[in-house]
Amino acid sequence: MVKFFSTSYAYDYNFSETALAYFLRYPNPYSRHVASTDTIDRHYDPITQRLTTVRLHVKRSRLPPAVLKLLPKSSLSNASEDGSTQSFILEKSVVDVRQGWMETDSRNLDWNNVLSVIERHRYSRPEGATITATGDGRTDVDISVTLKSRIGEQIRKRRQRWGQQATATSVIGAGGEDEQPVKQGFLSSWTSGAVRSAIETISLQRTEKSQPKAMKGMSVVLERLRTGGLEAVLEGMRADREVVV
């Protein structure tokens, strides 16, 4: 089963300010878990007048205790004993300043054998509004998040080779094609559907809690941009990095 989350709200800042703040939002007081952000590719199409950007974010996180109990140690090679780990997030954004909209797509590059997370944002100028001066306007925001555990899919594939011995434990800890089935552990009493549903539900709860923080973080950057311009934003980023260190 796939879990979905969606929400909509608005920033009391015009579209140009909001689009710029989006690219300057890390770090901020509500997202100090973001270790780094790198721009991989950027392209401007003179015909459509759209800017496409691809970035890579490295984020620190801690796996919930409930998830740690579900996963065997063989699947936690990138995590410390307390569940601390880092993940790579690929973000693609397209900005059309003329029409007044920006769409973004972010997804995790690792941990896909446990959970795939796809987060999409759409920022848009209200219908009928025009490009306004700094300090005026509003930007509407629509967010959707799709969470899908792939544990069941992996089990079905490996059962074709190994037979009914394949379990959630053997799949998550599996390596190369020639690897033999892993001996069943405490997850043997769980069906793949139960493990998948539990992981998706826990992740959905975390997503619901994180979205208000993301909104507050953007609001901080927007206020810095309005009151002190780019200089204030960069100074705020420097201060936030020092707090992390």
Side-chain angles (χ1 to χ4, degrees):
M1 182 181 295
V2 180
K3 293 289 191 301
F4 298 97
F5 171 83
S6 63
T7 185
S8 298
Y9 49 84
Y11 290 115
D12 292 326
Y13 298 83
N14 66 42
F15 175 75
S16 296
E17 290 176 304
T18 305
L20 178 58
Y22 179 85
F23 291 103
L24 299 172
R25 72 190 190 281
Y26 295 141
N28 66 67
Y30 295 93
S31 63
R32 294 184 177 127
H33 62 290
V34 180
S36 65
T37 295
D38 294 288
T39 299
I40 299 176
D41 182 60
R42 178 164 283 165
H43 171 71
Y44 176 73
D45 189 327
I47 298 177
T48 62
Q49 297 185 28
R50 293 175 181 174
L51 177 67
T52 300
T53 304
V54 179
R55 301 195 296 176
L56 181 67
H57 304 291
V58 179
K59 298 185 178 182
R60 293 183 292 263
S61 62
R62 179 171 296 177
L63 297 175
V67 172
L68 286 175
K69 293 179 181 179
L70 290 174
L71 302 178
K73 291 184 178 180
S74 58
S75 69
L76 303 174
S77 58
N78 295 328
S80 61
E81 293 184 359
D82 64 351
S84 297
T85 184
Q86 68 176 21
S87 58
F88 296 87
I89 311 298
L90 186 67
E91 171 199 281
K92 180 180 179 180
S93 62
V94 180
V95 184
D96 190 319
V97 176
R98 182 178 58 179
Q99 295 184 8
W101 59 262
M102 174 172 67
E103 294 182 346
T104 71
D105 181 297
S106 301
R107 57 189 67 204
N108 58 311
L109 297 181
D110 45 8
W111 296 97
N112 280 297
N113 59 329
V114 177
L115 183 73
S116 170
V117 180
I118 300 176
E119 183 171 339
R120 294 187 172 95
H121 294 199
R122 179 177 175 82
Y123 300 81
S124 58
R125 187 184 302 133
E127 186 175 353
T130 58
I131 299 178
T132 58
T134 301
D136 300 320
R138 188 187 87 228
T139 300
D140 296 327
V141 185
D142 297 301
I143 296 176
S144 67
V145 182
T146 303
L147 306 110
K148 181 179 181 181
S149 175
R150 301 183 181 278
I151 291 178
E153 296 178 7
Q154 298 292 333
I155 289 177
R156 284 193 295 273
K157 292 179 181 179
R158 292 187 178 276
R159 275 179 175 167
Q160 293 177 358
R161 298 202 308 271
W162 295 346
Q164 295 302 314
Q165 298 180 66
T167 65
T169 304
S170 63
V171 168
I172 298 174
E177 292 294 321
D178 298 329
E179 186 175 351
Q180 296 300 313
V182 179
K183 184 178 180 180
Q184 295 186 17
F186 77 95
L187 281 179
S188 59
S189 61
W190 283 63
T191 64
S192 61
V195 175
R196 181 173 63 246
S197 179
I199 291 175
E200 291 172 348
T201 298
I202 294 170
S203 300
L204 178 61
Q205 294 171 348
R206 295 192 72 181
T207 298
E208 292 172 341
K209 292 180 180 179
S210 67
Q211 286 302 319
K213 293 182 179 179
M215 181 180 178
K216 291 179 180 178
M218 271 284 288
S219 296
V220 169
V221 177
L222 282 163
E223 185 60 24
R224 288 172 176 172
L225 188 62
R226 174 172 291 183
T227 58
L230 185 58
E231 182 178 351
V233 174
L234 296 177
E235 177 60 26
M237 293 171 68
R238 184 193 63 78
D240 291 331
R241 287 195 183 95
E242 290 181 350
V243 171
V244 174
V245 175

